[in-house]
mmCIF file of all heavy atoms in Angstrom:
data_model
loop_
_atom_site.group_PDB
_atom_site.id
_atom_site.type_symbol
_atom_site.label_atom_id
_atom_site.label_comp_id
_atom_site.label_asym_id
_atom_site.label_seq_id
_atom_site.Cartn_x
_atom_site.Cartn_y
_atom_site.Cartn_z
ATOM 1 N N ILE A 295 17.856 131.227 55.879
ATOM 2 C CA ILE A 295 17.859 130.433 54.653
ATOM 3 C C ILE A 295 17.177 131.229 53.540
ATOM 4 O O ILE A 295 16.059 131.712 53.707
ATOM 5 C CB ILE A 295 17.130 129.095 54.874
ATOM 6 C CG1 ILE A 295 17.810 128.304 55.992
ATOM 7 C CG2 ILE A 295 17.072 128.288 53.575
ATOM 8 C CD1 ILE A 295 17.006 127.116 56.488
ATOM 9 N N TRP A 296 17.854 131.357 52.425
ATOM 10 C CA TRP A 296 17.346 132.041 51.251
ATOM 11 C C TRP A 296 17.254 131.023 50.129
ATOM 12 O O TRP A 296 18.059 130.110 50.055
ATOM 13 C CB TRP A 296 18.268 133.192 50.857
ATOM 14 C CG TRP A 296 18.541 134.123 51.989
ATOM 15 C CD1 TRP A 296 19.595 134.090 52.848
ATOM 16 C CD2 TRP A 296 17.716 135.206 52.424
ATOM 17 N NE1 TRP A 296 19.488 135.098 53.770
ATOM 18 C CE2 TRP A 296 18.338 135.796 53.534
ATOM 19 C CE3 TRP A 296 16.523 135.738 51.961
ATOM 20 C CZ2 TRP A 296 17.803 136.884 54.194
ATOM 21 C CZ3 TRP A 296 15.989 136.825 52.627
ATOM 22 C CH2 TRP A 296 16.626 137.395 53.724
ATOM 23 N N SER A 297 16.295 131.209 49.236
ATOM 24 C CA SER A 297 16.061 130.235 48.183
ATOM 25 C C SER A 297 15.899 130.911 46.828
ATOM 26 O O SER A 297 15.502 132.078 46.742
ATOM 27 C CB SER A 297 14.777 129.453 48.524
ATOM 28 O OG SER A 297 14.532 128.455 47.570
ATOM 29 N N GLY A 298 16.230 130.191 45.777
ATOM 30 C CA GLY A 298 15.991 130.669 44.421
ATOM 31 C C GLY A 298 16.875 131.830 44.027
ATOM 32 O O GLY A 298 18.044 131.917 44.407
ATOM 33 N N ALA A 299 16.308 132.741 43.240
ATOM 34 C CA ALA A 299 17.064 133.880 42.724
ATOM 35 C C ALA A 299 17.661 134.718 43.851
ATOM 36 O O ALA A 299 18.810 135.149 43.769
ATOM 37 C CB ALA A 299 16.179 134.748 41.832
ATOM 38 N N GLU A 300 16.895 134.921 44.918
ATOM 39 C CA GLU A 300 17.433 135.721 46.025
ATOM 40 C C GLU A 300 18.639 135.033 46.659
ATOM 41 O O GLU A 300 19.606 135.700 47.047
ATOM 42 C CB GLU A 300 16.369 136.012 47.076
ATOM 43 C CG GLU A 300 16.867 136.977 48.132
ATOM 44 C CD GLU A 300 15.776 137.598 48.980
ATOM 45 O OE1 GLU A 300 14.597 137.212 48.843
ATOM 46 O OE2 GLU A 300 16.117 138.479 49.783
ATOM 47 N N ALA A 301 18.622 133.716 46.735
ATOM 48 C CA ALA A 301 19.772 132.981 47.261
ATOM 49 C C ALA A 301 21.004 133.221 46.392
ATOM 50 O O ALA A 301 22.114 133.387 46.908
ATOM 51 C CB ALA A 301 19.451 131.487 47.342
ATOM 52 N N VAL A 302 20.806 133.237 45.094
ATOM 53 C CA VAL A 302 21.923 133.487 44.171
ATOM 54 C C VAL A 302 22.495 134.875 44.412
ATOM 55 O O VAL A 302 23.711 135.043 44.570
ATOM 56 C CB VAL A 302 21.468 133.330 42.699
ATOM 57 C CG1 VAL A 302 22.571 133.782 41.750
ATOM 58 C CG2 VAL A 302 21.057 131.893 42.419
ATOM 59 N N PHE A 303 21.634 135.885 44.470
ATOM 60 C CA PHE A 303 22.124 137.253 44.648
ATOM 61 C C PHE A 303 22.743 137.456 46.029
ATOM 62 O O PHE A 303 23.721 138.194 46.164
ATOM 63 C CB PHE A 303 21.008 138.265 44.383
ATOM 64 C CG PHE A 303 20.633 138.345 42.939
ATOM 65 C CD1 PHE A 303 19.366 137.994 42.516
ATOM 66 C CD2 PHE A 303 21.551 138.755 41.981
ATOM 67 C CE1 PHE A 303 19.014 138.054 41.181
ATOM 68 C CE2 PHE A 303 21.224 138.820 40.628
ATOM 69 C CZ PHE A 303 19.946 138.456 40.236
ATOM 70 N N ARG A 304 22.197 136.823 47.048
ATOM 71 C CA ARG A 304 22.789 136.950 48.385
ATOM 72 C C ARG A 304 24.147 136.257 48.450
ATOM 73 O O ARG A 304 25.060 136.745 49.115
ATOM 74 C CB ARG A 304 21.838 136.431 49.451
ATOM 75 C CG ARG A 304 20.661 137.382 49.634
ATOM 76 C CD ARG A 304 19.844 137.089 50.864
ATOM 77 N NE ARG A 304 18.764 138.047 50.976
ATOM 78 C CZ ARG A 304 18.857 139.218 51.609
ATOM 79 N NH1 ARG A 304 19.970 139.579 52.199
ATOM 80 N NH2 ARG A 304 17.815 140.030 51.654
ATOM 81 N N SER A 305 24.297 135.143 47.763
ATOM 82 C CA SER A 305 25.609 134.483 47.749
ATOM 83 C C SER A 305 26.616 135.321 46.963
ATOM 84 O O SER A 305 27.770 135.456 47.378
ATOM 85 C CB SER A 305 25.507 133.066 47.189
ATOM 86 O OG SER A 305 25.169 133.076 45.828
ATOM 87 N N LEU A 306 26.185 135.901 45.847
ATOM 88 C CA LEU A 306 27.086 136.762 45.076
ATOM 89 C C LEU A 306 27.498 137.998 45.869
ATOM 90 O O LEU A 306 28.610 138.509 45.694
ATOM 91 C CB LEU A 306 26.421 137.180 43.763
ATOM 92 C CG LEU A 306 26.284 136.084 42.709
ATOM 93 C CD1 LEU A 306 25.414 136.561 41.551
ATOM 94 C CD2 LEU A 306 27.652 135.635 42.210
ATOM 95 N N ALA A 307 26.628 138.473 46.748
ATOM 96 C CA ALA A 307 26.933 139.666 47.546
ATOM 97 C C ALA A 307 28.071 139.425 48.536
ATOM 98 O O ALA A 307 28.618 140.376 49.088
ATOM 99 C CB ALA A 307 25.684 140.135 48.289
ATOM 100 N N CYS A 308 28.461 138.185 48.717
ATOM 101 C CA CYS A 308 29.623 137.881 49.564
ATOM 102 C C CYS A 308 30.919 138.322 48.896
ATOM 103 O O CYS A 308 31.960 138.416 49.546
ATOM 104 C CB CYS A 308 29.674 136.386 49.881
ATOM 105 S SG CYS A 308 28.288 135.826 50.890
ATOM 106 N N VAL A 309 30.856 138.583 47.608
ATOM 107 C CA VAL A 309 31.999 139.097 46.851
ATOM 108 C C VAL A 309 31.779 140.597 46.684
ATOM 109 O O VAL A 309 30.787 141.010 46.065
ATOM 110 C CB VAL A 309 32.093 138.415 45.456
ATOM 111 C CG1 VAL A 309 33.261 138.978 44.662
ATOM 112 C CG2 VAL A 309 32.171 136.916 45.603
ATOM 113 N N PRO A 310 32.640 141.429 47.264
ATOM 114 C CA PRO A 310 32.397 142.873 47.256
ATOM 115 C C PRO A 310 32.065 143.462 45.884
ATOM 116 O O PRO A 310 31.180 144.310 45.778
ATOM 117 C CB PRO A 310 33.711 143.461 47.802
ATOM 118 C CG PRO A 310 34.246 142.378 48.687
ATOM 119 C CD PRO A 310 33.866 141.084 47.997
ATOM 120 N N GLU A 311 32.728 143.000 44.827
ATOM 121 C CA GLU A 311 32.485 143.556 43.496
ATOM 122 C C GLU A 311 31.115 143.175 42.941
ATOM 123 O O GLU A 311 30.685 143.719 41.923
ATOM 124 C CB GLU A 311 33.547 143.074 42.492
ATOM 125 C CG GLU A 311 34.974 143.381 42.865
ATOM 126 C CD GLU A 311 35.565 142.348 43.816
ATOM 127 O OE1 GLU A 311 35.399 141.134 43.605
ATOM 128 O OE2 GLU A 311 36.192 142.780 44.790
ATOM 129 N N LYS A 312 30.441 142.238 43.570
ATOM 130 C CA LYS A 312 29.147 141.775 43.050
ATOM 131 C C LYS A 312 27.967 142.160 43.938
ATOM 132 O O LYS A 312 26.838 141.775 43.679
ATOM 133 C CB LYS A 312 29.191 140.267 42.838
ATOM 134 C CG LYS A 312 30.281 139.886 41.845
ATOM 135 C CD LYS A 312 30.195 138.480 41.413
ATOM 136 C CE LYS A 312 31.388 138.120 40.575
ATOM 137 N NZ LYS A 312 31.163 138.144 39.178
ATOM 138 N N ARG A 313 28.210 142.946 44.983
ATOM 139 C CA ARG A 313 27.123 143.365 45.878
ATOM 140 C C ARG A 313 26.052 144.178 45.185
ATOM 141 O O ARG A 313 24.899 144.196 45.592
ATOM 142 C CB ARG A 313 27.694 144.160 47.056
ATOM 143 C CG ARG A 313 28.405 143.291 48.035
ATOM 144 C CD ARG A 313 28.762 144.050 49.294
ATOM 145 N NE ARG A 313 29.563 143.178 50.119
ATOM 146 C CZ ARG A 313 30.662 143.533 50.742
ATOM 147 N NH1 ARG A 313 31.075 144.782 50.677
ATOM 148 N NH2 ARG A 313 31.331 142.683 51.461
ATOM 149 N N TRP A 314 26.427 144.846 44.123
ATOM 150 C CA TRP A 314 25.471 145.680 43.392
ATOM 151 C C TRP A 314 24.297 144.862 42.881
ATOM 152 O O TRP A 314 23.188 145.373 42.746
ATOM 153 C CB TRP A 314 26.164 146.424 42.253
ATOM 154 C CG TRP A 314 26.697 145.531 41.166
ATOM 155 C CD1 TRP A 314 27.936 144.963 41.102
ATOM 156 C CD2 TRP A 314 26.008 145.098 39.995
ATOM 157 N NE1 TRP A 314 28.058 144.208 39.974
ATOM 158 C CE2 TRP A 314 26.881 144.274 39.263
ATOM 159 C CE3 TRP A 314 24.731 145.335 39.490
ATOM 160 C CZ2 TRP A 314 26.531 143.681 38.057
ATOM 161 C CZ3 TRP A 314 24.374 144.735 38.292
ATOM 162 C CH2 TRP A 314 25.263 143.921 37.583
ATOM 163 N N MET A 315 24.524 143.582 42.603
ATOM 164 C CA MET A 315 23.444 142.743 42.090
ATOM 165 C C MET A 315 22.342 142.549 43.136
ATOM 166 O O MET A 315 21.153 142.625 42.815
ATOM 167 C CB MET A 315 23.989 141.392 41.638
ATOM 168 C CG MET A 315 24.906 141.466 40.452
ATOM 169 S SD MET A 315 25.441 139.807 40.005
ATOM 170 C CE MET A 315 26.906 140.161 39.093
ATOM 171 N N LEU A 316 22.725 142.312 44.393
ATOM 172 C CA LEU A 316 21.735 142.184 45.466
ATOM 173 C C LEU A 316 21.042 143.519 45.680
ATOM 174 O O LEU A 316 19.823 143.572 45.885
ATOM 175 C CB LEU A 316 22.372 141.693 46.762
ATOM 176 C CG LEU A 316 21.415 141.574 47.948
ATOM 177 C CD1 LEU A 316 20.282 140.586 47.660
ATOM 178 C CD2 LEU A 316 22.176 141.168 49.206
ATOM 179 N N TRP A 317 21.795 144.613 45.608
ATOM 180 C CA TRP A 317 21.201 145.939 45.754
ATOM 181 C C TRP A 317 20.104 146.122 44.707
ATOM 182 O O TRP A 317 19.006 146.577 45.016
ATOM 183 C CB TRP A 317 22.280 147.017 45.616
ATOM 184 C CG TRP A 317 21.769 148.396 45.862
ATOM 185 C CD1 TRP A 317 21.741 149.053 47.059
ATOM 186 C CD2 TRP A 317 21.179 149.280 44.898
ATOM 187 N NE1 TRP A 317 21.174 150.301 46.894
ATOM 188 C CE2 TRP A 317 20.823 150.457 45.576
ATOM 189 C CE3 TRP A 317 20.921 149.187 43.539
ATOM 190 C CZ2 TRP A 317 20.228 151.533 44.933
ATOM 191 C CZ3 TRP A 317 20.319 150.260 42.897
ATOM 192 C CH2 TRP A 317 19.977 151.418 43.596
ATOM 193 N N CYS A 318 20.389 145.754 43.471
ATOM 194 C CA CYS A 318 19.384 145.861 42.405
ATOM 195 C C CYS A 318 18.184 144.966 42.708
ATOM 196 O O CYS A 318 17.032 145.393 42.542
ATOM 197 C CB CYS A 318 19.985 145.468 41.054
ATOM 198 S SG CYS A 318 21.174 146.650 40.398
ATOM 199 N N PHE A 319 18.442 143.738 43.140
ATOM 200 C CA PHE A 319 17.364 142.793 43.444
ATOM 201 C C PHE A 319 16.438 143.368 44.516
ATOM 202 O O PHE A 319 15.216 143.245 44.424
ATOM 203 C CB PHE A 319 17.952 141.454 43.912
ATOM 204 C CG PHE A 319 16.918 140.394 44.142
ATOM 205 C CD1 PHE A 319 16.457 139.608 43.098
ATOM 206 C CD2 PHE A 319 16.404 140.171 45.415
ATOM 207 C CE1 PHE A 319 15.491 138.627 43.308
ATOM 208 C CE2 PHE A 319 15.447 139.204 45.633
ATOM 209 C CZ PHE A 319 14.989 138.425 44.579
ATOM 210 N N LEU A 320 17.011 144.012 45.508
ATOM 211 C CA LEU A 320 16.224 144.523 46.635
ATOM 212 C C LEU A 320 15.599 145.895 46.368
ATOM 213 O O LEU A 320 14.580 146.228 46.982
ATOM 214 C CB LEU A 320 17.099 144.604 47.888
ATOM 215 C CG LEU A 320 17.631 143.269 48.413
ATOM 216 C CD1 LEU A 320 18.600 143.506 49.569
ATOM 217 C CD2 LEU A 320 16.493 142.350 48.838
ATOM 218 N N ARG A 321 16.182 146.695 45.473
ATOM 219 C CA ARG A 321 15.751 148.088 45.366
ATOM 220 C C ARG A 321 15.270 148.565 44.005
ATOM 221 O O ARG A 321 14.559 149.558 43.930
ATOM 222 C CB ARG A 321 16.896 148.988 45.839
ATOM 223 C CG ARG A 321 17.132 148.831 47.332
ATOM 224 C CD ARG A 321 18.236 149.742 47.827
ATOM 225 N NE ARG A 321 18.390 149.652 49.259
ATOM 226 C CZ ARG A 321 19.061 148.696 49.889
ATOM 227 N NH1 ARG A 321 19.630 147.738 49.206
ATOM 228 N NH2 ARG A 321 19.161 148.699 51.204
ATOM 229 N N VAL A 322 15.663 147.907 42.928
ATOM 230 C CA VAL A 322 15.264 148.379 41.602
ATOM 231 C C VAL A 322 13.895 147.805 41.252
ATOM 232 O O VAL A 322 13.723 146.583 41.218
ATOM 233 C CB VAL A 322 16.314 147.986 40.531
ATOM 234 C CG1 VAL A 322 15.824 148.350 39.140
ATOM 235 C CG2 VAL A 322 17.657 148.644 40.829
ATOM 236 N N PRO A 323 12.915 148.682 41.019
ATOM 237 C CA PRO A 323 11.572 148.194 40.696
ATOM 238 C C PRO A 323 11.588 147.254 39.486
ATOM 239 O O PRO A 323 12.194 147.562 38.459
ATOM 240 C CB PRO A 323 10.786 149.472 40.389
ATOM 241 C CG PRO A 323 11.527 150.555 41.114
ATOM 242 C CD PRO A 323 12.981 150.147 41.052
ATOM 243 N N GLY A 324 10.958 146.107 39.648
ATOM 244 C CA GLY A 324 10.857 145.130 38.573
ATOM 245 C C GLY A 324 11.997 144.135 38.498
ATOM 246 O O GLY A 324 11.860 143.082 37.891
ATOM 247 N N PHE A 325 13.133 144.457 39.112
ATOM 248 C CA PHE A 325 14.299 143.584 39.017
ATOM 249 C C PHE A 325 14.048 142.234 39.686
ATOM 250 O O PHE A 325 14.355 141.187 39.098
ATOM 251 C CB PHE A 325 15.526 144.267 39.633
ATOM 252 C CG PHE A 325 16.828 143.579 39.347
ATOM 253 C CD1 PHE A 325 17.594 143.958 38.262
ATOM 254 C CD2 PHE A 325 17.302 142.558 40.154
ATOM 255 C CE1 PHE A 325 18.806 143.332 37.986
ATOM 256 C CE2 PHE A 325 18.502 141.930 39.890
ATOM 257 C CZ PHE A 325 19.253 142.318 38.804
ATOM 258 N N ALA A 326 13.486 142.238 40.876
ATOM 259 C CA ALA A 326 13.238 140.976 41.601
ATOM 260 C C ALA A 326 12.216 140.101 40.879
ATOM 261 O O ALA A 326 12.474 138.901 40.684
ATOM 262 C CB ALA A 326 12.819 141.258 43.040
ATOM 263 N N PRO A 327 11.058 140.632 40.478
ATOM 264 C CA PRO A 327 10.102 139.757 39.790
ATOM 265 C C PRO A 327 10.655 139.166 38.495
ATOM 266 O O PRO A 327 10.424 137.993 38.199
ATOM 267 C CB PRO A 327 8.902 140.659 39.508
ATOM 268 C CG PRO A 327 9.062 141.846 40.365
ATOM 269 C CD PRO A 327 10.506 141.959 40.721
ATOM 270 N N VAL A 328 11.400 139.963 37.733
ATOM 271 C CA VAL A 328 11.982 139.452 36.489
ATOM 272 C C VAL A 328 13.038 138.389 36.799
ATOM 273 O O VAL A 328 13.081 137.328 36.167
ATOM 274 C CB VAL A 328 12.565 140.596 35.632
ATOM 275 C CG1 VAL A 328 13.388 140.067 34.468
ATOM 276 C CG2 VAL A 328 11.444 141.493 35.136
ATOM 277 N N SER A 329 13.877 138.649 37.802
ATOM 278 C CA SER A 329 14.897 137.679 38.204
ATOM 279 C C SER A 329 14.258 136.372 38.666
ATOM 280 O O SER A 329 14.720 135.286 38.298
ATOM 281 C CB SER A 329 15.765 138.246 39.332
ATOM 282 O OG SER A 329 16.464 139.387 38.901
ATOM 283 N N ASN A 330 13.207 136.485 39.481
ATOM 284 C CA ASN A 330 12.518 135.283 39.959
ATOM 285 C C ASN A 330 11.894 134.508 38.811
ATOM 286 O O ASN A 330 11.950 133.273 38.777
ATOM 287 C CB ASN A 330 11.464 135.643 41.006
ATOM 288 C CG ASN A 330 12.079 136.022 42.324
ATOM 289 O OD1 ASN A 330 13.077 135.457 42.750
ATOM 290 N ND2 ASN A 330 11.494 137.000 42.979
ATOM 291 N N PHE A 331 11.290 135.214 37.857
ATOM 292 C CA PHE A 331 10.693 134.558 36.693
ATOM 293 C C PHE A 331 11.749 133.802 35.891
ATOM 294 O O PHE A 331 11.565 132.631 35.536
ATOM 295 C CB PHE A 331 9.981 135.581 35.804
ATOM 296 C CG PHE A 331 9.469 134.988 34.523
ATOM 297 C CD1 PHE A 331 8.273 134.280 34.507
ATOM 298 C CD2 PHE A 331 10.205 135.105 33.358
ATOM 299 C CE1 PHE A 331 7.813 133.704 33.322
ATOM 300 C CE2 PHE A 331 9.751 134.536 32.168
ATOM 301 C CZ PHE A 331 8.550 133.837 32.162
ATOM 302 N N ILE A 332 12.863 134.465 35.611
ATOM 303 C CA ILE A 332 13.937 133.832 34.830
ATOM 304 C C ILE A 332 14.495 132.635 35.596
ATOM 305 O O ILE A 332 14.728 131.574 35.011
ATOM 306 C CB ILE A 332 15.037 134.851 34.483
ATOM 307 C CG1 ILE A 332 14.486 135.888 33.502
ATOM 308 C CG2 ILE A 332 16.268 134.162 33.915
ATOM 309 C CD1 ILE A 332 15.390 137.086 33.286
ATOM 310 N N TYR A 333 14.707 132.792 36.905
ATOM 311 C CA TYR A 333 15.232 131.689 37.707
ATOM 312 C C TYR A 333 14.296 130.482 37.633
ATOM 313 O O TYR A 333 14.736 129.361 37.404
ATOM 314 C CB TYR A 333 15.435 132.120 39.170
ATOM 315 C CG TYR A 333 16.052 131.009 39.975
ATOM 316 C CD1 TYR A 333 17.423 130.926 40.122
ATOM 317 C CD2 TYR A 333 15.265 130.009 40.541
ATOM 318 C CE1 TYR A 333 18.002 129.874 40.814
ATOM 319 C CE2 TYR A 333 15.837 128.957 41.225
ATOM 320 C CZ TYR A 333 17.202 128.900 41.366
ATOM 321 O OH TYR A 333 17.773 127.845 42.040
ATOM 322 N N ARG A 334 12.999 130.709 37.841
ATOM 323 C CA ARG A 334 12.030 129.603 37.805
ATOM 324 C C ARG A 334 11.984 128.950 36.427
ATOM 325 O O ARG A 334 11.906 127.730 36.319
ATOM 326 C CB ARG A 334 10.645 130.090 38.226
ATOM 327 C CG ARG A 334 10.514 130.315 39.724
ATOM 328 C CD ARG A 334 9.060 130.543 40.141
ATOM 329 N NE ARG A 334 8.429 131.639 39.416
ATOM 330 C CZ ARG A 334 8.438 132.908 39.800
ATOM 331 N NH1 ARG A 334 9.049 133.256 40.921
ATOM 332 N NH2 ARG A 334 7.833 133.833 39.079
ATOM 333 N N PHE A 335 12.046 129.766 35.376
ATOM 334 C CA PHE A 335 12.025 129.232 34.017
ATOM 335 C C PHE A 335 13.228 128.317 33.778
ATOM 336 O O PHE A 335 13.089 127.197 33.282
ATOM 337 C CB PHE A 335 12.005 130.370 32.987
ATOM 338 C CG PHE A 335 11.966 129.886 31.573
ATOM 339 C CD1 PHE A 335 10.756 129.497 31.004
ATOM 340 C CD2 PHE A 335 13.128 129.796 30.818
ATOM 341 C CE1 PHE A 335 10.710 129.032 29.695
ATOM 342 C CE2 PHE A 335 13.090 129.331 29.515
ATOM 343 C CZ PHE A 335 11.872 128.940 28.957
ATOM 344 N N VAL A 336 14.408 128.784 34.128
ATOM 345 C CA VAL A 336 15.619 127.987 33.941
ATOM 346 C C VAL A 336 15.560 126.725 34.812
ATOM 347 O O VAL A 336 15.899 125.630 34.350
ATOM 348 C CB VAL A 336 16.885 128.821 34.236
ATOM 349 C CG1 VAL A 336 18.131 127.940 34.256
ATOM 350 C CG2 VAL A 336 17.037 129.944 33.214
ATOM 351 N N ALA A 337 15.100 126.865 36.051
ATOM 352 C CA ALA A 337 15.018 125.702 36.946
ATOM 353 C C ALA A 337 14.064 124.646 36.401
ATOM 354 O O ALA A 337 14.341 123.450 36.490
ATOM 355 C CB ALA A 337 14.584 126.143 38.344
ATOM 356 N N ARG A 338 12.959 125.078 35.818
ATOM 357 C CA ARG A 338 11.984 124.123 35.258
ATOM 358 C C ARG A 338 12.502 123.444 33.996
ATOM 359 O O ARG A 338 12.014 122.384 33.627
ATOM 360 C CB ARG A 338 10.670 124.832 34.953
ATOM 361 C CG ARG A 338 9.867 125.139 36.175
ATOM 362 C CD ARG A 338 8.487 125.664 35.801
ATOM 363 N NE ARG A 338 7.903 126.317 36.944
ATOM 364 C CZ ARG A 338 7.497 127.578 36.965
ATOM 365 N NH1 ARG A 338 7.560 128.317 35.884
ATOM 366 N NH2 ARG A 338 6.997 128.099 38.063
#
């Protein structure tokens, strides 16, 4: 079970053309914290 921004990127990774987004979330420095911040802000 994945939640929040990571859940979004993992679901998008099911589409081959969108796997790069999960790659960025997992490997690009700063990408995950910024994504999580934006996700929480929008959710609130």
Side-chain angles (χ1 to χ4, degrees):
I295 301 168
W296 307 94
S297 183
E300 187 164 6
V302 172
F303 290 117
R304 288 192 179 271
S305 67
L306 288 171
C308 295
V309 179
E311 303 84 45
K312 300 191 187 261
R313 287 189 186 135
W314 65 270
M315 294 181 201
L316 178 60
W317 185 91
C318 290
F319 185 85
L320 296 174
R321 292 182 176 81
V322 174
F325 192 93
V328 170
S329 297
N330 287 323
F331 174 81
I332 292 169
Y333 183 92
R334 285 191 305 271
F335 181 81
V336 171
R338 285 188 197 122

